[in-house]
């Protein structure tokens, strides 16, 4: 798949908002504006974006993945630590610990494929930074431990 992390264009804001991503932490529909980033494969119609940032230690950052026209909510704890190397004193190590996954019941038979997709979008998200609208690659290290067993529900809001 050809995933790209980019700033959501003005023409794509309406598409992103049409998914009506539910912010589970704040208990409301999340709306997106011009400074939103996403990881997308537009040909495959797969979209991944941050739906909310944790507001307390009781909650995790929430990312939503739209796949096959359905939403998957991924709750992560993201940690960053310095890990200098001789050739890069500003090198960082980033831990993406997936704490919970809410997925539609019909994805239960596609769990392995769903896990691979989640790994791919998180990896693309990690290795591309966007500052002042300009995307650039980073060489920072990623750590992505095993995923928990998803909770399968009728609908992910």
């Amino acid at each position: 798949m050809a995933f790209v992390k980019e700033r959501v264009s003005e023409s794509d804001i309406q598409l992103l908002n049409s998914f009506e991503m539910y912010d589970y932490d704040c208990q409301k529909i999340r709306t997106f504006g011009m400074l939103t980033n996403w990881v997308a494969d537009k040909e495959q119609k797969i979209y991944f974006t941050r739906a909310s940032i944790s507001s307390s230690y009781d909650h995790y950052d929430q990312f939503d993945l739209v796949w096959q026209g359905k939403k998957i909510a991924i709750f992560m704890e993201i940690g960053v630590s310095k890990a200098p190397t001789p050739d890069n004193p500003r090198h960082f190590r980033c831990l993406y610990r997936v704490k919970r996954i809410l997925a539609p019941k019909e994805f239960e038979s596609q769990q392995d494929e769903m896990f691979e997709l989640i790994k791919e979008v998180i990896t693309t998200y990690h290795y591309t930074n966007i500052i002042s609208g300009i995307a650039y690659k980073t060489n920072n290290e990623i750590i992505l431990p095993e995923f928990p067993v998803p909770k399968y529900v009728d609908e992910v809001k």
Side-chain angles (χ1 to χ4, degrees), residues 24-54:
Y24 284 85
D25 190 20
C26 295
Q27 306 295 311
K28 65 179 182 177
I29 299 284
R30 167 81 158 97
T31 54
F32 297 92
M34 287 303 300
L35 298 179
T36 302
N37 299 324
W38 67 4
V39 172
D41 180 335
K42 293 178 183 178
E43 287 184 20
Q44 299 284 329
K45 297 182 180 174
I46 301 172
Y47 308 95
F48 174 79
T49 193
R50 186 186 302 250
S52 71
I53 297 174
S54 173

Side-chain angles (χ1 to χ4, degrees), residues 82-153:
K82 286 187 176 183
T85 61
D87 60 329
N88 185 355
R90 294 179 55 168
H91 184 261
F92 289 95
R93 178 176 293 131
C94 302
L95 171 66
Y96 292 82
R97 182 172 284 132
V98 175
K99 303 300 270 183
R100 187 166 53 119
I101 300 171
L102 286 179
K105 285 182 181 176
E106 58 260 38
F107 291 162
E108 194 165 6
S109 64
Q110 298 174 283
Q111 182 171 295
D112 291 341
E113 185 180 358
M114 180 178 65
F115 281 175
E116 287 305 312
L117 179 61
I118 293 170
K119 287 177 189 174
E120 194 170 348
V121 296
I122 291 172
T123 300
T124 301
Y125 179 85
H126 168 78
Y127 283 113
T128 305
N129 280 337
I130 299 176
I131 296 179
S132 299
I134 299 169
Y136 68 92
K137 297 294 179 196
T138 177
N139 292 324
N140 293 326
E141 183 180 350
I142 184 173
I143 301 168
L144 191 57
E146 292 292 316
F147 296 152
V149 174
K151 179 178 180 181
Y152 293 100
V153 296

